[in-house]
Amino acid sequence: MKRKTAYLPLHYGKAPSYLFERMVRLAGAMTQLIVEEYGPDEMLRRLSDPWWFQAFGCVLGFDWHSSGLTTVCCGALKEAQKRYGDIGIFVAGGKGGESRKTPEEIARIADRLAINAAESLIRTSRLVAKVDSAALQDGFALYHHCFFFTASGSWCVIQQGMNETTRYARRYHWLGESTKNFVCNPHAAIDDLSKENEGLIFESETNKKRQTPEKSILLNMIAGEAEQSRQICSELAREKPQKTLNLISEILCGPTLFAPAQHTISSTDIRLINLKTLHKAIISAYERDPKDFQSLLETPQVGPATIRSLALVAELMFGVPICRKDPIEDFPKQVNGRRWADYAFAHGGKDGIPYPIDRVSYDRNIGILEETIRKAKLGYIEKKDALKRLARIAQSSLST
């Protein structure tokens, strides 16, 4: 399993209907051609790469570095799957309320196509969301979860969280090609797109300042350094609920006192002192008898406040320090030649950057792709040659 991250500024507004319709057609055509040439698993690999996904969104004509690129591109892929039927992959979930429908959408698609891995896929979807919301508390509240999968049971996830203070979003990419540890160092790479934004297109000095989460609120339970903390947390969950709750109450209510640097009370502080809710969650965890941290994390009522509380107990009572490292620090930016922002020059951008959407070129390219798909379905022997010519056309368009 690979997990990657992108870091994006918040932009308001949505894709106009004229653009979204074209995005749906182009996203569907590109996906079908990639699946036809390389197989559905390759499309999942590309979606799980934040650099490729960002370039993909640029080609589709959305804002080149906006947080909305994530939700709109995923929405376009989902609509393409609905509209055209078989595009080689299936899409469930989305933004806000749509994300909570992910399990039932996976089940419905799996039932229609007789996919045997439905239960496993649903469990994976829920666990990935739990990891990025409860096990990793980096200041970004999840509001988007999109689950991509194939008929064979392969999957990838694109989900995004928003930091209300900095007005930046983080996008988390997951790829499940092999069975690995969900709760210990699942990152393959982390992309900080706010750094790459600098100098590509003019930005104000304010926007150039990198906005990172405060160390005081960071809780990274998926770091390698947090192994002992994860172990203690699962052990505490197997203790009698009242004993664990007493330990938490002792930390929160005295004699030990914690005074945060900020004057205001954050949502994190409020969750920590809600002992009634914590009690229910701890009872639920005790009844589950979690054998390890992943099992604890999968307990339905266990969320960010429960994990943070147990980690505090592990630190104060057993001397196991909380890991407050931002995982993005482990992955310096790598430059691979072409920048993803270059792909915004393919058709332009929604907000006119680098130039307004070129509808003529956009429609011409959609037509070329759709005609290639039609011929491929008819079994034309020159199919692969046509696909390679399309790649050369794309490169030529970008260089002009």
Side-chain angles (χ1 to χ4, degrees), residues 278-314:
L278 283 174
H279 198 178
K280 292 179 180 178
I282 289 168
I283 290 174
S284 179
Y286 174 75
E287 292 174 346
R288 187 183 183 92
D289 190 28
K291 65 181 184 302
D292 53 27
F293 185 74
Q294 178 175 319
S295 182
L296 169 63
L297 203 61
E298 290 182 288
T299 303
Q301 294 189 50
V302 170
T306 306
I307 298 300
R308 185 176 288 269
S309 298
L310 293 175
L312 280 170
V313 172

Side-chain angles (χ1 to χ4, degrees), residues 2 31 47 67 93 145 148 166 200 210 215 233 246 267 277 281 302 315 341 344 366 374:
K2 297 178 180 179
T31 299
L47 290 173
S67 61
H145 174 89
F148 301 86
T166 65
L200 295 179
R210 184 181 173 195
K215 289 289 184 181
C233 284
N246 288 343
S267 58
T277 302
V302 170
E315 181 177 54
I366 289 174
R374 186 187 71 81

Side-chain angles (χ1 to χ4, degrees), residues 379-394:
Y380 274 50
I381 59 173
E382 69 270 17
K383 174 187 62 180
K384 289 188 178 181
D385 291 337
L387 291 171
K388 290 178 174 60
R389 286 197 299 273
L390 281 172
R392 289 196 294 272
I393 290 171

Side-chain angles (χ1 to χ4, degrees), residues 324-342:
R324 298 189 184 278
K325 180 179 67 177
D326 188 347
I328 208 166
E329 296 173 3
D330 287 336
F331 299 92
K333 183 65 188 171
Q334 296 181 0
V335 179
N336 297 314
R338 187 181 292 278
R339 302 170 301 187
W340 47 260
D342 294 343

